[in-house]
Amino acid sequence: MTQIGGVVYLFSILISRLLHSKTKLQKIGVFTILYLIISFLIVPFIAPKFGREKVINTAYVKPTNFMTIVLNRNYVKKELNTLLIETSKRLKNDGITIRYLDANFPFINKFPLLPHLSHNDGKKLDLSLIYQNGQGKIIDKQKSISGYGVFETPKSTEINQIDTCLSNGYFQYDYPKYLTFGKINQDIVFSELGTRKLIAALLEQHQIGKIFIEPHLKKRLQLKNSKIKYHGCKAVRHDDHIHIQLK
């Protein structure tokens, strides 16, 4: 879940013994302090040796939830940071803030970032959808605490890839519905205009290799660029977030 948590845990056991920590609370305290020190003061300086750096937070590029940072799931290649910054410049006049979700761990290619299938090389990043209020104004809010699991479901007239995948035995396809950690801001709605502008700005960046979004949203937003792909039933549904990756 964090890549370094297991190693930190082993060190915390040794330190707890040296400090003669006896209660569970003391041991948890040792682990927590050690984990935070390593995550925020050591890992960021080692990660560049593996070709990765933290996603750069700006006024227009922010994490959807802080746990992404705490769990070391916010590391990308430098080119992806450049892409985000340049994209945000094109969107700030539209009042759109890029909210990012899971990226990659700081070290080692092909080290799995569960539950994702491909976030293992510094080239991948999930982005939140864009929402608006009842007056149609784009707003910097999300519909779940985690940023995942609240879907923009297909309309009756749209292709329903979700039902197709589930009926073919891919039971995991909509499992993010269990990972919301709480639904919030139920008064806001999906912004077709804002999400289309976000994707259009991303496609202007030459570093973009692929964008994954659910087929019914691709059609609804009238997206025709060949870089917009379908991710397949073996992944999870992408109508609660957008997946982007470098070439």
Side-chain angles (χ1 to χ4, degrees), residues 178-194:
Y178 302 113
L179 300 176
T180 64
F181 298 114
K183 297 180 180 180
I184 55 176
N185 301 318
Q186 296 303 296
D187 57 322
I188 64 176
V189 296
F190 174 63
S191 174
E192 294 182 19
L193 177 62

Side-chain angles (χ1 to χ4, degrees), residues 121-165:
D121 58 5
K123 295 182 178 182
K124 281 60 173 216
L125 178 65
D126 286 346
L127 303 178
S128 293
L129 301 176
I130 306 299
Y131 295 91
Q132 62 189 41
N133 61 20
Q135 291 71 48
K137 181 180 178 181
I138 291 174
I139 191 165
D140 185 20
K141 292 183 179 180
Q142 297 298 312
K143 300 195 74 171
S144 76
I145 292 174
S146 71
Y148 290 104
V150 177
F151 307 116
E152 180 57 29
T153 56
K155 298 177 181 179
S156 59
T157 57
E158 294 177 330
I159 182 174
N160 194 325
Q161 187 63 43
I162 296 93
D163 282 353
T164 299
C165 289

Side-chain angles (χ1 to χ4, degrees), residues 5 8 51 58 67 69 83 87 103 118 150 154-156 164 189 199 209 214 221 226 237:
V8 174
T58 70
M67 289 307 296
I69 296 174
L83 181 151
T87 301
S118 65
V150 177
K155 298 177 181 179
S156 59
T164 299
V189 296
I199 294 174
E214 205 63 35
L221 300 178
S226 61
R237 59 193 289 183

Side-chain angles (χ1 to χ4, degrees), residues 66-134:
F66 191 64
M67 289 307 296
T68 300
I69 296 174
V70 173
L71 298 178
N72 294 303
R73 302 165 81 91
N74 62 321
Y75 282 82
V76 296
K77 288 186 174 294
K78 183 177 181 179
E79 294 84 355
L80 193 42
N81 259 330
T82 300
L83 181 151
L84 289 174
I85 292 171
E86 291 302 314
T87 301
S88 69
K89 290 178 181 178
R90 287 168 166 75
L91 294 170
K92 64 180 181 181
N93 291 334
D94 295 307
I96 296 175
T97 298
I98 298 175
R99 289 283 182 173
Y100 65 88
L101 300 161
D102 282 350
N104 310 264
F105 283 135
F107 313 122
I108 309 171
N109 285 340
K110 297 184 179 180
F111 189 101
L113 184 140
L114 298 176
H116 303 277
L117 297 179
S118 65
H119 289 232
N120 57 19
D121 58 5
K123 295 182 178 182
K124 281 60 173 216
L125 178 65
D126 286 346
L127 303 178
S128 293
L129 301 176
I130 306 299
Y131 295 91
Q132 62 189 41
N133 61 20

Side-chain angles (χ1 to χ4, degrees), residues 201-236:
L202 288 166
L203 289 169
E204 290 177 4
Q205 308 304 313
H206 72 274
Q207 305 101 316
I208 275 284
K210 295 179 183 178
I211 295 177
F212 293 155
I213 192 168
E214 205 63 35
H216 68 273
L217 291 185
K218 178 180 179 179
K219 185 174 181 180
R220 188 188 304 177
L221 300 178
Q222 299 179 359
L223 302 170
K224 299 179 180 180
N225 192 291
S226 61
K227 292 184 178 180
I228 301 173
K229 307 287 188 180
Y230 175 56
H231 42 278
C233 286
K234 292 182 179 180
V236 297

